[in-house]
Amino acid sequence: MPLDINPTAAASYARTLVERGCEVSLAQRAAEILAQNNRSHSRNLEEEWIVSQAYAQLN
């Protein structure tokens, strides 16, 4: 696997989630949500559910 010297926040979140046991597709979706750094944006119920499911899969 190639090493990304300057990963995006989403890539870092996804890699960490996968390394800790989260399914890849769910980790990618959750990582995109977690990487959103817009304080005016509050997560909707679907986004909260995706993130909570990703955390539930962690070892």
Side-chain angles (χ1 to χ4, degrees):
M1 173 165 53
L3 180 64
D4 188 355
I5 296 173
N6 294 311
T8 64
S12 292
Y13 283 130
R15 183 179 60 239
T16 299
L17 289 168
V18 169
E19 287 174 352
R20 294 184 179 179
C22 184
E23 171 189 307
V24 173
S25 61
L26 180 58
Q28 290 172 333
R29 291 174 64 199
E32 288 297 324
I33 294 166
L34 292 168
Q36 292 175 356
N37 193 16
N38 184 351
R39 293 181 183 196
S40 65
H41 172 77
S42 59
R43 293 183 193 145
N44 63 37
L45 292 176
E46 180 182 9
E47 291 170 331
E48 287 292 339
W49 183 83
I50 291 169
V51 172
S52 68
Q53 292 300 307
Y55 282 127
Q57 290 187 3
L58 302 183
N59 294 327

